[in-house]
Amino acid sequence: MKKLFLAAACSLALLAAAAALPTQAKADWLETAAAPLKGTEISGIFLDRPGYRAIIKLLPEFEKKTGIKVKYETVPYENTREKEVLNFTSSGDLTMALVDLVWIGEFAENGWILPIEDFTKDAAITDPNLNLKGFFPLLLDAFGSWGGKVYGLPFDNYSGLLFYNSCKLKEAGFDKPPETWDELLKTYAPKLTNADKKEYAFALQSLRGETQSADSFMRVLWPFGGSLLTKEFKSNLGSPESQAGLKFRQELMKYMPPGIVSFDHAEAVNALAQNQVAMITEWSAFYGTLTDPASSKLGDCLAVAPEPAGPAGRLPALGGFSLAVAAQATPEQQKASWLFIQWATSEEISRAYVEAGGVSGRMAIYEQPDIKAKYKFVEPMVASWQKGVPEFRPRFPAWPAISEIIAEFGSKMMLGEVSTEDGVKEISTRMEPILEKEGYYDGKKPLLQ
């Protein structure tokens, strides 16, 4: 009996030890994985935005744990793609790619970034808590995936939200924000606009360039049932639904500040922050700017809601990035970059990242009651990420060239230089030859966007 007891006790001890091993392994996985890579230098591009400033604050923790040195350059968004493409085509020094929603197809098809399956098959360098299902599915699909493979993990992701001045709305007789675009235009905007006092209902950032094409033009297509392309990749801009959205934008302009076509994100955010407009639809990442007393007069008047719905439903703008491993990096740098990407997008640091000003792509952090209570943007942002259009802006390699065409004629439409009908004819006439040259019409390329 004594021997049986001892044997049982030993078995229990062994089971307990075995059960403890995964916990210990999980706790030390990063340090263990990084041990052979100590001293490796990795490099990437960051933007001058809250999400990057947040990860920079946390970087010393990663570097201390791993011995890996993270080198980064802060670059304006407008120059980022050009800088990365030049680096990748000239065998430069970037070991990571910052991949915008609309660059994923270009970067993947050119072989500049590697699918994560190249690394996840190696348990020694993969977080036991990687948990890809912990990301919002829409984000992992839209920002990190192409052709059925995952290339990058969501990082610094945004949703279009309605930021508004609740005090101005209350003064005008409204106790809640508009639910639909039609309600915003016909009911709210007239009561919130007083041009003599330079007070306007709404500002839609529309500066010529990517701001015009993606943040203004495309924003009014999807909610109205329109789209850039048909399933056959022909222009859909002449459809009744697409035209309805573009004509709506023209109508809404009379309730916007003069010169709205020269407004970038900063100008639109500042117009709300300085009480010049009552509402804007902007990226969730600007919440910190609008709550900062140094840059905003709103105070407790700031409120946040999902973007208004159109006839096709609520289909808000999607924006943001993923982080991917660059194919040009050495094997050691690739492994070290993969460790950094997992850490930067992990559930483990998601609270610290959010509290430092970042927006995590992980679902779990936004289920925390204190996070929901502290950050007004969380619940509307989470609601907006339940349903969306990954190809809100097409993610194929041809987008940059098409974006320039849309920016040119989208601006001319807003300025009244061309009608919405003539403007889309010009866009279509110039866009379709680009798609033909890319091989979308002869079957050389799958119709992925």
Side-chain angles (χ1 to χ4, degrees):
M1 180 68 79
K2 188 174 182 182
K3 286 181 179 179
L4 286 172
F5 176 79
L6 288 172
C10 288
S11 296
L12 287 171
L14 287 170
L15 286 170
L21 280 175
T23 304
Q24 185 65 23
K26 286 180 181 180
D28 297 337
W29 88 269
L30 186 57
E31 295 92 325
T32 303
L37 303 167
K38 190 174 182 180
T40 303
E41 183 174 278
I42 61 176
S43 61
I45 285 178
F46 287 170
L47 305 180
D48 186 18
R49 295 182 180 179
Y52 303 85
R53 292 192 287 273
I55 209 66
I56 288 168
K57 285 180 187 176
L58 304 179
L59 262 184
E61 174 191 337
F62 175 81
E63 293 183 334
K64 183 179 178 181
K65 277 187 177 183
T66 64
I68 295 168
K69 175 63 179 174
V70 183
K71 179 184 172 186
Y72 62 89
E73 181 182 1
T74 300
V75 174
Y77 169 79
E78 294 75 17
N79 306 116
T80 301
R81 176 187 163 272
E82 181 183 0
K83 198 171 184 71
E84 290 193 299
V85 170
L86 180 61
N87 195 282
F88 297 144
T89 54
S90 61
S91 301
D93 60 349
L94 290 177
T95 71
M96 294 183 289
L98 181 65
V99 189
D100 190 2
L101 172 75
V102 291
W103 304 339
I104 185 75
E106 178 184 19
F107 285 23
E109 289 186 8
N110 281 300
W112 296 333
I113 55 178
L114 299 173
I116 69 168
E117 65 186 24
D118 288 9
F119 306 101
T120 54
K121 62 187 178 186
D122 184 353
I125 55 168
T126 300
D127 184 355
N129 289 323
L130 177 58
N131 187 20
L132 293 180
K133 292 182 178 179
F135 289 106
F136 286 91
L138 177 64
L139 302 187
L140 190 63
D141 181 18
F143 298 96
S145 305
W146 187 252
K149 289 187 177 182
V150 177
Y151 285 85
L153 300 185
F155 177 77
D156 188 39
N157 307 109
Y158 321 132
S159 177
L161 299 176
L162 179 72
F163 292 97
Y164 64 98
N165 186 324
S166 61
C167 299
K168 277 186 177 289
L169 264 63
K170 188 173 181 180
E171 289 169 8
F174 304 110
D175 59 1
K176 61 180 182 178
E179 287 285 334
T180 67
W181 282 111
D182 189 65
E183 191 179 22
L184 187 154
L185 172 68
K186 295 177 180 176
T187 305
Y188 283 67
K191 292 185 178 181
L192 290 164
T193 301
N194 187 333
D196 292 338
K197 292 184 178 181
K198 296 182 179 180
E199 295 175 350
Y200 299 90
F202 189 74
L204 179 65
Q205 59 286 349
S206 299
L207 179 69
R208 180 168 169 172
E210 187 78 3
T211 302
Q212 166 64 221
S213 61
D215 298 293
S216 182
F217 189 96
M218 298 299 289
R219 192 178 232 108
V220 296
L221 292 186
W222 294 103
F224 287 83
S227 64
L228 179 65
L229 300 173
T230 64
K231 291 180 180 179
E232 294 76 30
F233 270 40
K234 295 292 185 177
S235 173
N236 191 44
L237 294 177
S239 70
E241 294 82 5
S242 293
Q243 281 294 307
L246 292 169
K247 290 182 183 298
F248 169 84
R249 183 173 68 159
Q250 295 302 116
E251 282 192 70
L252 191 57
M253 280 185 68
K254 62 190 173 196
Y255 301 113
M256 300 190 210
I260 191 66
V261 185
S262 66
F263 275 42
D264 205 347
H265 297 281
E267 287 77 21
V269 171
N270 189 59
L272 178 65
Q274 303 306 317
N275 294 317
Q276 295 163 3
V277 301
M279 298 176 284
I280 61 173
T281 45
E282 259 295 1
W283 298 119
S284 47
F286 287 106
Y287 179 78
T289 304
L290 291 165
T291 55
D292 184 353
S295 55
S296 175
K297 295 179 179 178
L298 288 170
D300 292 338
C301 292
L302 174 65
V304 192
E307 281 198 19
R314 181 171 282 117
L315 296 170
L318 279 176
F321 303 82
S322 65
L323 289 173
V325 177
Q328 68 182 7
T330 67
E332 292 76 18
Q333 289 174 326
Q334 288 178 3
K335 290 178 181 179
S337 296
W338 173 234
L339 294 185
F340 171 77
I341 290 168
Q342 291 176 93
W343 171 82
T345 62
S346 67
E347 290 181 349
E348 182 184 353
I349 73 158
S350 60
R351 172 174 285 274
Y353 181 61
V354 168
E355 290 179 340
V359 177
S360 174
R362 295 283 185 172
M363 291 187 281
I365 184 62
Y366 301 118
E367 294 168 3
Q368 304 303 311
D370 62 322
I371 294 292
K372 288 195 281 190
K374 184 175 181 181
Y375 302 102
K376 294 179 183 179
F377 73 91
V378 163
E379 291 198 65
M381 182 184 71
V382 168
S384 74
W385 280 347
Q386 301 308 307
K387 181 184 177 185
V389 185
E391 63 274 16
F392 185 90
R393 297 174 281 170
R395 301 173 297 156
F396 49 38
W399 170 252
I402 291 171
S403 175
E404 289 185 17
I405 298 166
I406 293 173
E408 178 183 353
F409 288 95
S411 297
K412 287 182 177 181
M413 286 180 211
M414 291 185 76
L415 292 168
E417 295 175 7
V418 295
S419 66
T420 60
E421 292 88 355
D422 290 342
V424 302
K425 284 178 185 175
E426 289 288 347
I427 293 171
S428 303
T429 299
R430 299 176 191 218
M431 174 175 67
E432 290 182 356
I434 292 173
L435 296 172
E436 182 177 21
K437 187 178 178 181
E438 287 283 314
Y440 290 112
Y441 299 155
D442 58 12
K444 289 179 182 176
K445 278 189 177 182
L447 302 183
L448 295 174
Q449 58 166 320

